[in-house]
Amino acid sequence: MKYLIFFLLPLTAFAQEISGKVYDSESTVKGIDVYNISQKTIAYTDGEGNFTIYAAVGDTLSFHSTFHNPKIIMLTKEDFEDTMIVELIKTVNKLKEILLENNIDPNDFNAGKQEESIDKTITEDSKVNPHLYSTSSQYGFDIVRIVGMVSKLIKGKKTKPSPVQLLNAASLDSLFKNDEFFNQNLLIHDLKIPKSQQQLFFDYCESSEINKELTEKENKLELLEELVILSKEHQKVMQFSDED
């Protein structure tokens, strides 16, 4: 009888609550359908992109909306240990690209006119710079001169890579005080960094040598992922120091 009751228990008895936050390239996203395919349950993100749903390790969650590409995630044990971060890709940008491409009129491009315009430009330039169009070879071109010109052009375009600028603690402190996205709410509730440890966390991040380019708008999701990893590391360091 005991074994019979055990097998009659629904799968949801082994489920637990999992919390997460959904972003796209601009901000958090509200109204996203969060569907547990395994358990046949559904939830939605709130105004801050947060969601909570019952699930178990191995369950499959589906995230989708009208303006985002769907995303399927199979849950692992690590997903239940902290706030789950989910990034969706907007479909609006792709639609705009299609619309722009459809607006191109093929009649606007005329190959004959384009070739005629190029020939005219070369003819006019040859009158001003005849030395560039000398014909010392049997094919009508000074091959050595042309190769030399191309070589100089390529060398002239080579530039030394600029040194990587790193994000320091002061910049992080300023970011979380002034940015709408990286704010105190995210720092305290999502990254789990209390006010008393924030400066220590910023110092820890500085020692981890984060590229300052991640603070730019188009890279903020990469910065968020980096901060989530560092916050977990920081928590373990603080826990270890408290034990000592």
Side-chain angles (χ1 to χ4, degrees), residues 22-30 32 65 67-68 86-90 181 217 220-221:
V22 179
Y23 298 86
D24 61 19
S25 59
E26 296 180 358
S27 63
T28 56
V29 189
K30 66 178 180 179
I32 297 294
S65 75
F67 301 105
H68 296 83
V86 180
E87 178 187 355
L88 297 184
I89 299 175
K90 277 194 169 185
F181 184 80
K217 185 177 180 181
K220 65 181 180 182
L221 284 178

Side-chain angles (χ1 to χ4, degrees), residues 81-133:
E81 294 177 356
D82 209 336
T83 302
M84 184 180 180
I85 303 296
V86 180
E87 178 187 355
L88 297 184
I89 299 175
K90 277 194 169 185
T91 57
V92 178
N93 292 334
K94 292 185 178 180
L95 291 174
K96 286 181 179 178
E97 290 175 6
I98 293 171
L99 290 173
L100 287 173
E101 289 176 0
N102 289 338
N103 287 333
I104 297 174
D105 186 356
N107 296 324
D108 290 342
F109 179 79
N110 187 301
K113 289 183 178 180
Q114 185 69 13
E115 185 176 352
E116 182 181 344
S117 175
I118 293 172
D119 289 340
K120 185 179 179 181
T121 302
I122 292 174
T123 301
E124 292 177 353
D125 188 59
S126 65
K127 294 177 181 178
V128 179
N129 302 296
H131 61 285
L132 299 178
Y133 299 85

Side-chain angles (χ1 to χ4, degrees), residues 35-47:
Y35 183 61
N36 187 329
I37 298 174
S38 305
Q39 306 283 357
K40 302 294 187 298
T41 56
I42 192 169
Y44 305 93
T45 58
D46 61 18

Side-chain angles (χ1 to χ4, degrees), residues 115-201:
E115 185 176 352
E116 182 181 344
S117 175
I118 293 172
D119 289 340
K120 185 179 179 181
T121 302
I122 292 174
T123 301
E124 292 177 353
D125 188 59
S126 65
K127 294 177 181 178
V128 179
N129 302 296
H131 61 285
L132 299 178
Y133 299 85
S134 58
T135 56
S136 60
S137 74
Q138 58 177 326
Y139 300 106
F141 297 98
D142 187 345
I143 301 299
V144 175
R145 185 184 296 275
I146 291 174
V147 170
M149 289 168 58
V150 173
S151 177
K152 288 181 180 179
L153 181 63
I154 294 174
K155 289 180 180 179
K157 288 186 176 181
K158 288 183 178 179
T159 56
K160 294 182 179 179
S162 56
V164 176
Q165 293 185 346
L166 301 178
L167 193 60
N168 57 35
S171 297
L172 274 172
D173 182 52
S174 176
L175 179 69
F176 277 94
K177 285 180 179 177
N178 302 301
D179 193 85
E180 293 182 1
F181 184 80
F182 293 99
N183 51 35
Q184 284 291 312
N185 183 59
L186 185 146
L187 187 61
I188 296 173
H189 296 98
D190 295 317
L191 299 181
K192 303 293 189 294
I193 306 296
K195 287 187 176 181
S196 59
Q197 296 180 11
Q198 288 181 8
Q199 189 56 51
L200 289 173
F201 175 62

